[in-house]
Amino acid sequence: MGRDNPGRRRAAISWCLFDWANSPLPTVIITFVFSAYFARGVVGDEVEGTVLWSRALTIAGLAVAILAPVLGAIADRSGPKKPWVAGFSLLAILAASALWFVHPDPGDTMLALVAVGLVLIGTEFANIFYNAMLGGIAPPGRLGRIGGWGWSLGYLGAIVCLLIALFGFVQADVPPFGLDKGAAEHVRATALLAAAWFLLFSMPLLRYVPDDEHVPLPVLQAAREGLSTLWATLRGLRRHPDIWIFLVARMLYADGLATLFQFGGLYAAGTFGMSFAEIIQFGIALNVTAGLGAFLFAWVDDWIGAKPTIAISLVGLIGFGFAVLVVEDVGWFWVFALALGIFVGPSQAASRTLLTQMAPQAARAQMFGLYALSGKATSFLGPALLGWATIAFDSQRWGMATILLFWIAGLALLAFVRPASRRGPAA
């Protein structure tokens, strides 16, 4: 961004910083810390806890799948996107804060599941409008780099937050603020840490990133016109087969990734017997390799294109994912899992780049609503299949194996997508 003016550079940095702000919330709560605490400390049974966790995330995923494209369509008509980002971010922050009241008691199971579901809904909805802002702050030739740098900064933020959670709370001999280990307050406080982190570091985006300058329509009129436009867009996708094929492919491989994020901590705890501290250490190491992959592949994205970058990432995920599932030794589990992490970030960042290139500028929020739908339309299926396989085989390993099916199917379908640069812009 050397030749950019200071305002554009500040806007791009502030936009990327939102990934730093929101990434610790799902990382700390859904993937590594609170999921393991819920299964072990609240429910008291890892298999039953995994099943309940999967049901809650399935319901939340269905809500996102149904409402995301509708919200995106309305937002395109209602004008500025930052109020939507702020509102849904606040929902996620408040829901995360409510997890402080989840004690190591089965009686708090429902509170935990509802709050975690709202965390997922709030972060997913906020990201619809956040992603739609990328095209307005990044020049076309730098979409891959700025998008990839955002992802890598998100992983770095998750690493720093996990380090604070590990050494400042979970492993502290004397927890800060007089927290009671017997009541698991040192673990529950990590949800408050992630919520405060999100609140603090989301401020630069709300202040410095330029917003849509269109005059907003009244809410009811925006809803009517947005829904009408959404229906026309859905019908019109038949004229743009590359877009809908990509969205379906992304629907499949994103479901595999989402299921991995949601159950990775549970798998590490149940199959390899990792403690809370070890799970956080694993999460930190995994985010290091994922952030490194997102950062390095940001140049690859701009160099060879988004589609090849996604394909390379999926091949890496499938290969190392299989290795993770078959190893018995915890040392080899670490090796293969960290190698897998290198390919997580590029698959996500390049997907965002590809849709930004394909989407008509006037309908970007709408398209990213469909993009969120493509990440959630089968999101109930991933956790549901994982939960079913876990019950059927009484094994977390067989449950996690279902993730590979989504990556393989997504890679196969991606082969039929023509890059936007070769077919001209979508209209």
Side-chain angles (χ1 to χ4, degrees):
M1 292 183 290
R3 294 189 298 273
D4 293 339
N5 61 57
R8 178 181 287 274
R9 187 160 51 245
R10 183 174 63 183
I13 293 171
S14 298
W15 183 88
C16 291
L17 195 60
F18 190 80
D19 262 319
W20 165 283
N22 70 9
S23 292
L25 206 62
T27 300
V28 170
I29 293 173
I30 295 177
T31 304
F32 291 109
V33 181
F34 216 88
S35 59
Y37 165 66
F38 173 78
R40 287 181 176 176
V42 181
V43 177
D45 181 272
E46 288 168 351
V47 172
E48 182 183 356
T50 299
V51 173
L52 291 173
W53 197 257
S54 73
R55 289 174 180 170
L57 296 178
T58 296
I59 294 171
L62 280 171
V64 173
I66 293 169
L67 295 176
V70 176
L71 288 172
I74 294 173
D76 276 326
R77 293 294 180 180
S78 63
K81 297 176 179 62
K82 287 198 287 188
W84 296 87
V85 174
F88 286 117
S89 297
L90 183 60
L91 171 64
I93 290 166
L94 293 176
S97 300
L99 291 172
W100 164 256
F101 301 100
V102 177
H103 301 84
D105 182 343
D108 286 344
T109 296
M110 186 56 65
L111 172 60
L113 295 176
V114 171
V116 166
L118 291 176
V119 167
L120 178 63
I121 289 171
T123 52
E124 289 289 342
F125 284 166
N127 279 332
I128 293 172
F129 307 103
Y130 165 64
N131 289 335
M133 299 172 75
L134 173 60
I137 58 100
R142 297 182 184 177
L143 283 172
R145 272 168 285 183
I146 293 178
W149 291 340
W151 277 110
S152 64
L153 198 58
Y155 286 119
L156 179 60
I159 292 167
V160 175
C161 193
L162 279 171
L163 283 170
I164 296 172
L166 175 63
F167 296 110
F169 293 90
V170 176
Q171 278 192 337
D173 292 331
V174 181
F177 314 116
L179 296 173
D180 182 4
K181 282 191 173 184
E185 289 183 349
H186 64 309
V187 177
R188 291 152 49 199
T190 60
L192 295 179
L193 170 66
W197 186 283
F198 193 0
L199 179 64
L200 176 63
F201 292 110
S202 62
M203 296 300 177
L205 177 135
L206 299 177
R207 181 171 182 180
Y208 296 118
V209 177
D211 208 345
D212 193 330
E213 296 181 355
H214 294 160
V215 177
L217 298 175
V219 174
L220 291 179
Q221 182 180 351
R224 287 194 300 269
E225 293 190 10
L227 291 174
S228 176
T229 304
L230 173 62
W231 177 242
T233 299
L234 289 172
R235 290 184 299 173
L237 282 178
R238 291 176 298 177
R239 298 192 302 270
H240 304 291
D242 293 310
I243 294 179
W244 70 259
I245 292 173
F246 166 65
L247 289 174
V248 174
R250 193 259 176 182
M251 175 180 70
L252 294 169
Y253 66 73
D255 194 29
L257 285 171
T259 307
L260 174 68
F261 300 153
Q262 293 162 2
F263 293 92
L266 285 171
Y267 179 68
T271 301
F272 293 95
M274 290 188 181
S275 65
F276 286 129
E278 288 171 332
I279 290 170
I280 296 178
Q281 292 169 357
F282 173 67
I284 291 169
L286 190 63
N287 275 275
V288 168
T289 60
L292 180 62
F295 182 78
L296 295 177
F297 273 83
W299 278 278
V300 176
D301 188 338
D302 284 333
W303 176 36
I304 66 174
K307 177 190 168 180
T309 303
I310 298 169
I312 292 170
S313 300
L314 289 175
V315 170
L317 289 170
I318 293 166
F320 287 110
F322 178 79
V324 164
L325 292 173
V326 299
V327 295
E328 299 285 347
D329 180 74
V330 68
W332 281 111
F333 168 76
W334 273 82
V335 171
F336 291 128
L338 295 185
L340 179 147
I342 294 174
F343 300 97
V344 169
S347 66
Q348 297 169 307
S351 297
R352 182 165 62 185
T353 302
L354 185 56
L355 184 62
T356 300
Q357 293 169 340
M358 293 172 128
Q361 183 175 355
R364 277 200 176 124
Q366 182 183 135
M367 285 297 178
F368 274 104
L370 294 174
Y371 182 78
L373 169 64
S374 75
K376 293 299 175 184
T378 58
S379 63
F380 66 93
L381 186 58
L385 283 178
L386 186 148
W388 173 83
T390 300
I391 293 173
F393 296 98
D394 195 26
S395 167
Q396 287 182 316
R397 195 183 298 272
W398 277 102
M400 293 293 287
T402 59
I403 293 174
L404 297 181
L405 301 177
F406 291 96
W407 291 341
I408 293 170
L411 177 61
L413 198 55
L414 183 70
F416 296 96
V417 177
R418 292 178 298 165
S421 61
R422 294 183 182 178
R423 63 172 181 82

